[in-house]
């Protein structure tokens, strides 16, 4: 059994038996891992963290060779991101980020870029940058960094580069259709050129630059619709936190 130390974001936690907790972590060095924190509910001072979802911690764990559940012996909070938790919109956006990490990222598969992206987005969210914009940026960048690799540069049907003319989004094909291919999916819908340009801009620029990007309400609404449909289509289910977001001020994917 190897003893490992790494930075970890708490994805979620739930009670286990009388005194313990099970938690999913997104770690810098090992990707997503599941840990058990024994006795934490009986003696909360045993760990220097309350293991809140989307808090950043340093953990020490014993990596089991025979199971995907590992014993966490130490968990020290480094940043609790309290400011996110105190605000409904930011908290809902934070929960969606955690749900996405859980649903999209494979177990125990290191992806340092996804870890760094998550920390940067949470830091900016805590520092009061717009939660809705950060969530959009997170989704676009995380999908590009994960195995999903949606391609918003070319047509899903003929693979030609998205050029002039009407651009349509096909939910069943999971991408964009160029002006020559609208009949490939009669249920596809026309989308704004500005929406496509925003996605391409976010994919090509770093987080700091993309924060300056202006998104009008129509484009924001369309981005929510496209990203959430894309994710739901590939996962085969709607994200739970999406329903919460739709009830808050964040524009709902109602189209
Ligand atoms: Zn085409």
């Amino acid at each position: 059994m190897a003893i490992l130390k790494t930075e970890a974001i708490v994805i979620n936690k739930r009670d286990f038996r009388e005194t313990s907790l099970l938690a999913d972590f997104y770690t810098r060095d090992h990707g997503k891992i599941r840990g058990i924190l024994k006795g934490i509910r009986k003696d909360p001072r045993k760990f220097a963290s309350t293991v809140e979802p989307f808090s950043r911690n340093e953990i020490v764990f014993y990596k089991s060779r025979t199971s995907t559940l590992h014993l966490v012996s130490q968990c020290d909070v480094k940043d609790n991101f309290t400011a996110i938790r105190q605000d409904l919109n930011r908290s809902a956006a934070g929960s969606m980020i955690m749900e996405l990490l859980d649903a999209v990222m494979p177990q125990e598969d290191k992806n340092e870029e996804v870890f760094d992206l998550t920390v940067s987005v949470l830091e900016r969210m805590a520092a009061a940058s717009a939660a809705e914009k950060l969530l959009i940026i997170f989704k676009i960048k995380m999908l590009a960094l994960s195995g999903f690799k949606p391609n918003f540069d070319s047509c899903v049907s003929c693979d030609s580069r998205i050029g002039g003319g009407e651009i349509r989004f096909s939910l069943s094909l999971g991408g964009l259709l160029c002006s020559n291919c609208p009949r490939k999916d009669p249920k596809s819908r026309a989308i704004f050129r500005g929406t496509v340009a925003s996605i391409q801009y976010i994919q090509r620029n770093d987080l700091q630059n993309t924060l300056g990007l202006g998104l009008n309400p129509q484009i924001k609404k369309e981005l929510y619709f496209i990203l959430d449909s894309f994710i739901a289509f590939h996962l085969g289910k709607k994200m739970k936190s999406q329903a919460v977001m739709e009830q808050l001020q964040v524009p709902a994917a109602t189209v």
Side-chain angles (χ1 to χ4, degrees):
M1 234 189 240
I3 303 175
L4 303 165
K5 185 189 218 177
T6 184
E7 272 185 88
I9 304 278
V10 177
I11 295 176
N12 56 49
K13 65 167 176 180
R14 58 217 165 276
D15 290 349
F16 183 70
R17 302 219 169 118
E18 294 297 298
T19 60
S20 304
L21 269 185
L22 286 183
D24 289 309
F25 296 96
Y26 198 77
T27 69
R28 178 187 287 283
D29 301 313
H30 309 279
K32 189 171 71 182
I33 66 155
R34 177 162 294 175
I36 179 164
L37 294 87
K38 285 189 175 165
I40 188 171
R41 281 157 56 224
K42 189 172 154 203
D43 179 12
R45 281 171 304 178
K46 189 176 165 191
F47 293 86
S49 172
T50 47
V51 200
E52 297 302 324
F54 50 77
S55 64
R56 185 167 67 87
N57 298 265
E58 188 172 86
I59 64 169
V60 174
F61 68 102
Y62 292 81
K63 191 168 175 12
S64 166
R65 276 200 213 103
T66 52
S67 153
T68 52
L69 180 63
H70 310 293
L71 177 69
V72 177
S73 61
Q74 208 178 313
C75 183
D76 299 334
V77 70
K78 295 293 167 201
D79 200 335
N80 213 11
F81 295 122
T82 310
I84 300 178
R85 213 163 281 113
Q86 285 168 340
D87 176 277
L88 260 186
N89 276 323
R90 285 194 243 168
S91 169
S95 300
M96 183 133 204
I97 288 173
M98 294 306 112
E99 200 184 340
L100 273 168
L101 282 178
D102 196 25
V104 174
M105 300 312 293
Q107 201 79 8
E108 301 188 16
D109 188 18
K110 177 178 176 172
N111 191 327
E112 225 168 337
E113 284 178 297
V114 168
F115 180 87
D116 288 339
L117 170 71
T118 308
V119 171
S120 301
V121 165
L122 291 172
E123 280 172 353
R124 281 172 171 84
M125 206 177 274
S129 293
E132 342 166 52
K133 195 195 273 185
L134 279 167
L135 184 57
I136 288 170
I137 295 170
F138 179 82
K139 285 178 186 171
I140 292 171
K141 289 198 167 294
M142 194 242 196
L143 287 173
L145 292 171
S146 70
F148 278 61
K149 293 191 178 69
N151 186 353
F152 292 106
D153 286 322
S154 57
C155 173
V156 285
S157 174
C158 73
D159 206 33
S160 67
R161 212 176 154 71
I162 294 293
E166 189 181 67
I167 307 170
R168 300 184 75 84
F169 174 69
S170 163
L171 184 52
S172 60
L173 298 172
L176 303 176
L177 288 172
C178 74
S179 54
N180 296 322
C181 301
R183 282 182 301 278
K184 294 291 175 188
D185 175 10
K187 287 186 179 157
S188 63
R189 59 193 289 274
I191 65 165
F192 297 117
R193 191 156 286 277
T195 304
V196 177
S198 301
I199 292 175
Q200 291 170 345
Y201 184 87
I202 291 169
Q203 281 184 337
R204 287 170 197 156
N205 286 276
D206 65 17
L207 182 60
Q208 189 56 40
N209 284 334
T210 52
L211 279 172
L213 179 68
L215 297 172
N216 71 37
Q218 270 181 320
I219 287 183
K220 229 185 257 182
K221 190 171 170 179
E222 209 167 60
L223 281 170
Y224 266 96
F225 171 75
I226 285 178
L227 293 168
D228 290 346
S229 322
F230 184 88
I231 292 163
F233 179 78
H234 281 273
L235 293 179
K237 62 174 185 183
K238 194 171 170 176
M239 307 289 286
K240 263 182 279 168
S241 42
Q242 200 176 320
V244 180
M245 297 291 293
E246 285 167 8
Q247 283 163 20
L248 295 169
Q249 293 151 19
V250 174
T254 50
V255 190

